[in-house]
Amino acid sequence: DQQVKQNSPSLSVQEGRISILNCDYTNSMFDYFLWYKKYPAEGPTFLISISSIKDKNEDGRFTVFLNKSAKHLSLHIVPSQPGDSAVYFCAASDSGGGADGLTFGKGTHLIIQP
Amino acid sequence: NAGVMQNPRHLVRRRGQEARLRCSPMKGHSHVYWYRQLPEEGLKFMVYLQKENIIDESGMPKERFSAEFPKEGPSILRIQQVVRGDSAAYFCASSPRRGRMETQYFGPGTRLLVL
């Protein structure tokens, strides 16, 4: 049972435009969400996180939006740059119980075209 | 400040052999997590350890897999009698404190291939 879903396996965006990556979750106990970026043959790199008490968190070119009622979050990258081409993973945790580890989606491969 | 270190980066084993994967957390971090990534899949949590203690092993397969984080030295993920289905990337992450809102920082992974 996939509790964190990233329904787009890949996304192609032109350099300079906005990239929007989406993530849905089914477990209503999740209250902390993270985005990681991963290059081939490397480990995931932390990008940005958001607690369920917020609906937006911004860090430079990266903004994460959380819609709790829809159980949906999105990562916006503006403007998109060639170095942003990577696989992006959405992850979630339940601070009140459940496993100590993060629950990951399957990832979205973002391709930035020149 | 060195990041999370994992070795080896690549490991080839024949069926029935043992695999030992090592992880040194970031300096100042005493909490270690192991994850496994199968091809075309996301990362799956396996186990969470503090020094000398297994805190949460809810994601560990019941047989052949074990983990430890001794007082001195790296954390070890051990897979006995490997099978082809164990072929995957194994990632270690660390955090400075316990807490499900603590950011976990990942190492580069060990890619295990079972022949």
Side-chain angles (χ1 to χ4, degrees):
Chain A
D1 178 34
Q2 195 79 19
Q3 296 187 69
V4 176
K5 299 178 184 178
Q6 295 178 256
N7 291 319
S8 299
S10 66
L11 175 68
S12 185
V13 174
Q14 207 164 12
E15 182 180 355
R17 302 277 186 139
I18 183 171
S19 295
I20 300 176
L21 297 102
N22 293 304
C23 177
D24 297 291
Y25 61 97
T26 58
N27 187 342
S28 57
M29 299 303 293
F30 286 149
D31 56 2
Y32 187 61
F33 304 89
L34 308 91
W35 284 94
Y36 285 86
K37 171 183 178 180
K38 186 181 180 302
Y39 293 120
E42 293 186 12
T45 301
F46 170 71
L47 274 178
I48 192 167
S49 62
I50 188 166
S51 162
S52 60
I53 61 173
K54 295 185 175 182
D55 55 19
K56 176 183 174 181
N57 189 26
E58 192 172 351
D59 183 1
R61 295 187 300 116
F62 302 93
T63 303
V64 56
F65 295 92
L66 175 62
N67 182 334
K68 282 188 296 183
S69 61
K71 295 193 181 70
H72 177 84
L73 61 156
S74 61
L75 174 68
H76 293 213
I77 307 174
V78 164
S80 300
Q81 299 174 352
D84 295 331
S85 294
V87 177
Y88 288 77
F89 290 99
C90 171
S93 72
D94 162 18
S95 66
D100 281 89
L102 298 170
T103 301
F104 280 83
K106 290 189 177 184
T108 296
H109 185 193
L110 176 64
I111 301 160
I112 305 300
Q113 295 185 333
Chain B
N1 190 14
V4 178
M5 311 276 283
Q6 288 188 251
N7 67 80
R9 294 291 303 273
H10 299 272
L11 184 60
V12 179
R13 285 288 177 266
R14 296 192 182 279
R15 281 178 296 168
Q17 290 184 321
E18 179 180 288
R20 281 187 178 233
L21 289 62
R22 288 176 291 277
C23 168
S24 296
M26 284 180 73
K27 187 175 180 180
H29 289 195
S30 58
H31 303 260
V32 166
Y33 310 77
W34 285 95
Y35 291 81
R36 175 166 66 175
Q37 184 185 24
L38 295 170
E40 309 302 323
E41 296 287 324
L43 284 73
K44 294 279 197 287
F45 167 71
M46 300 178 76
V47 62
Y48 162 50
L49 310 101
Q50 295 178 23
K51 285 282 186 183
E52 301 184 279
N53 284 303
I54 297 174
I55 306 299
D56 180 354
E57 55 182 349
S58 57
M60 283 280 266
K62 297 290 183 243
E63 297 176 346
R64 302 187 298 108
F65 285 73
S66 62
E68 62 177 11
F69 190 13
K71 188 177 180 181
E72 301 290 336
S75 175
I76 307 284
L77 179 68
R78 182 181 178 207
I79 312 172
Q80 294 179 289
Q81 299 174 327
V82 295
V83 301
R84 288 218 174 104
D86 296 333
S87 295
Y90 291 83
F91 292 98
C92 166
S94 73
S95 65
R97 287 167 294 275
R98 184 179 188 180
R100 295 184 179 90
M101 291 192 173
E102 288 292 328
T103 299
Q104 295 177 23
Y105 297 89
F106 283 81
T110 294
R111 275 119 190 112
L112 172 65
L113 176 63
V114 179
L115 302 176

